[in-house]
């Protein structure tokens, strides 16, 4: 640390600080793992001339921060001063005359997920990190970019039903990848097992009208794809703070209306496909109506589930794609066979 009268500079974040933050990114997903000491602080009584000398004499740093922190003798942040304003002001003026005391800040213990949302809303690219008003560090453009990248990476890994990686991909062993993925896949396997139970319970219907089996992959695939589209969109919107549980009614109205239009389109396509296979008018109607019902049902489940999980403090990204698809698979088959029982005379 270098001091000169009322001027204090803290060393720029070096490789060790950045590496430390990188190692902690998954184990400690709080702002403290990302903040650096890459900032310059000034006393309110510092003159503009002294401040300008500090900036230009700091030859060890290639970049000048866009904002200067103004702190009192006890380390409490009083406000920020832009470097542009500092360079344009009279040299005899005090830094306190240029002070901007309305600013956006974060706490060291702030969770990365919440911080990422707040940062995007604020639009700031140089953010003080404060602990009870005292400066502990800063998030500059580099730190913010890394934070957002890590948050997005975590969401992508969770959406694939895999535990997040603690280190870069190529540094992970085969055993580590097996451990990260196998637990989730076993859970999905157990969840998918009830699909075969549903099919077995409708064994009599399948024996009577074997053509019903032709369309099972088509029906469950359509339901899963519809659910994945919706949950991917909603989870991203929730991550950006665009929607929440309070918007559930609006989300349901929008998604159900959209799904009805999609359902009519897919239902017509399913009717044509059944006609091409020559399975008869009754089966054609069953397939078409089932596609409509599954599409609308998938929209409802996919709209409600992520918000409900967020309400009970479970990351919705974990279940956004695989678990929704698994749920729709089984319930979609039940819908299919129940519609078949009502409409097909051979099953009446």
């Amino acid at each position: 640390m270098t001091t000169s009268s009322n001027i204090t500079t803290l060393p720029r974040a070096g490789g060790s600080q950045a590496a430390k933050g990188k190692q902690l990114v998954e184990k400690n997903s709080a702002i403290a793992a990302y903040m650096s000491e890459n900032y310059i602080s000034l006393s309110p009584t510092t003159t503009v001339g002294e401040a300008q000398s500090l900036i230009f004499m700091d030859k060890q740093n290639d970049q000048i921060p866009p904002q200067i922190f103004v702190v009192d003798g006890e380390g409490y942040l009083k406000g920020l001063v832009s470097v542009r304003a500092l360079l344009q002001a009279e040299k005899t003026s005090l830094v306190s005359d240029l002070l901007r005391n309305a600013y956006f800040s974060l706490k060291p213990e702030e969770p990365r997920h919440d911080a990422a949302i707040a940062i995007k809303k604020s639009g700031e690219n140089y953010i003080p990190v404060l602990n009870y008003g005292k400066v502990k560090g800063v998030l500059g453009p580099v730190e913010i970019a890394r934070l957002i990248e890590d948050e997005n990476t975590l969401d992508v890994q969770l959406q694939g039903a895999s535990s997040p990686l603690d280190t870069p991909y190529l540094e992970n062993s085969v055993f580590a990848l097996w451990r990260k993925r196998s637990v989730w896949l076993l859970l999905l396997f157990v969840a998918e097992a009830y699909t075969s139970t549903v099919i077995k319970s409708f064994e009599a219907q399948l024996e009577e009208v074997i053509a019903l089996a032709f369309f099972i992959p088509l029906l469950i695939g359509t339901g899963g794809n519809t659910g994945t589209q919706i949950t991917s969109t909603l989870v991203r919107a929730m991550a950006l703070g665009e929607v929440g549980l309070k918007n559930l009614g609006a989300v349901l109205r929008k998604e159900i209306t959209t799904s009805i239009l999609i359902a009519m389109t897919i239902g017509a396509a399913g009717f044509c496909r059944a006609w091409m296979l020559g399975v008869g008018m009754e089966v054609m109607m069953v397939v078409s109506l089932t596609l409509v019902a599954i599409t609308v049902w998938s929209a409802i489940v996919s709209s409600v589930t992520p918000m409900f999980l967020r309400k009970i403090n479970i990351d919705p990204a974990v279940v956004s794609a695989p678990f929704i698809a698994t749920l729709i698979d089984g319930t979609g088959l039940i819908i299919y066979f129940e519609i078949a029982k009502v409409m097909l005379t051979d099953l009446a």
Side-chain angles (χ1 to χ4, degrees):
M1 179 179 294
T2 304
T3 59
S4 177
S5 65
N6 292 325
I7 304 173
T8 303
T9 63
L10 292 177
R12 308 277 178 184
S16 60
Q17 176 74 10
K20 180 181 178 182
K22 191 66 177 177
Q23 293 170 359
L24 293 173
V25 64
E26 295 298 349
K27 297 179 180 179
N28 180 12
S29 57
I31 294 303
Y34 291 88
M35 70 179 188
S36 79
E37 296 179 346
N38 181 12
Y39 67 87
I40 299 175
S41 63
L42 302 172
S43 166
T45 57
T46 304
T47 65
V48 170
E50 290 177 311
Q52 290 177 354
S53 298
L54 166 68
I55 294 173
F56 290 119
M57 289 177 62
D58 194 9
K59 300 297 185 182
Q60 64 179 356
N61 300 307
D62 296 329
Q63 297 182 351
I64 298 175
Q67 303 287 337
I68 305 297
F69 294 167
V70 180
V71 302
D72 62 17
E74 297 181 353
Y76 289 97
L77 182 65
K78 309 304 293 183
L80 278 65
V81 174
S82 72
V83 171
R84 175 179 295 182
L86 197 63
L87 295 177
Q88 294 175 346
E90 294 290 336
K91 293 184 180 296
T92 55
S93 300
L94 296 179
V95 169
S96 58
D97 298 333
L98 310 175
L99 195 63
R100 176 171 67 89
N101 48 26
Y103 52 83
F104 171 72
S105 65
L106 292 167
K107 300 176 182 178
E109 67 274 13
E110 191 93 23
R112 182 180 65 199
H113 176 76
D114 296 341
I117 295 175
I119 290 170
K120 290 174 183 177
K121 287 184 176 180
S122 72
E124 299 289 342
N125 63 356
Y126 199 76
I127 303 168
V129 180
L130 308 179
N131 185 28
Y132 297 104
K134 290 187 176 182
V135 180
K136 293 299 179 182
V138 64
L139 292 179
V142 173
E143 291 77 28
I144 291 174
R146 182 159 57 86
L147 183 151
I148 298 298
E149 178 185 359
D150 288 342
E151 182 62 21
N152 291 340
T153 299
L154 177 63
D155 285 344
V156 169
Q157 290 174 345
L158 290 175
Q159 287 180 22
S162 174
S163 298
L165 302 177
D166 298 329
T167 56
Y169 173 79
L170 291 178
E171 296 179 13
N172 282 270
S173 66
V174 172
F175 177 78
L177 293 176
W178 167 81
R179 180 169 52 85
K180 293 287 185 180
R181 297 174 182 175
S182 59
V183 174
W184 289 100
L185 290 174
L186 284 172
L187 288 174
L188 288 173
F189 177 84
V190 172
E192 278 284 11
Y194 84 101
T195 301
S196 57
T197 303
V198 171
I199 294 176
K200 183 171 178 57
S201 65
F202 288 95
E203 183 179 1
Q205 286 85 345
L206 285 172
E207 289 179 351
E208 291 292 334
V209 184
I210 193 64
L212 291 175
F214 301 165
F215 302 96
I216 289 177
L218 172 66
L219 296 172
I220 63 177
T222 298
N225 292 338
T226 302
T228 299
Q229 282 187 333
I230 295 172
T231 51
S232 298
T233 302
L234 281 183
V235 168
R236 184 58 179 164
M238 292 169 67
L240 296 175
E242 296 175 351
V243 297
L245 191 59
K246 63 181 180 180
N247 307 116
L248 180 57
V251 170
L252 279 173
R253 287 192 297 272
K254 184 181 292 293
E255 290 298 341
I256 290 175
T257 303
T258 303
S259 69
I260 290 173
L261 296 175
I262 294 173
M264 291 189 295
T265 304
I266 294 178
F271 186 89
C272 293
R273 177 55 180 162
W275 174 78
M276 292 171 63
L277 293 176
V279 294
M281 180 59 69
E282 287 183 329
V283 175
M284 290 162 58
M285 291 298 298
V286 168
V287 171
S288 183
L289 289 175
T290 301
L291 284 169
V292 171
I294 287 178
T295 302
V296 175
W297 168 241
S298 179
I300 296 172
V301 172
S302 304
S303 299
V304 173
T305 302
M307 294 191 184
F308 171 74
L309 291 171
R310 175 59 59 80
K311 180 66 175 180
I312 60 177
N313 296 321
I314 296 177
D315 192 335
V318 175
V319 299
S320 61
F323 282 100
I324 291 293
T326 300
L327 176 62
I328 298 300
D329 286 354
T331 54
L333 285 175
I334 294 174
I335 292 172
Y336 181 38
F337 289 121
E338 289 298 333
I339 290 176
K341 284 174 62 177
V342 172
M343 295 195 63
L344 295 181
T345 56
D346 290 342
L347 303 181

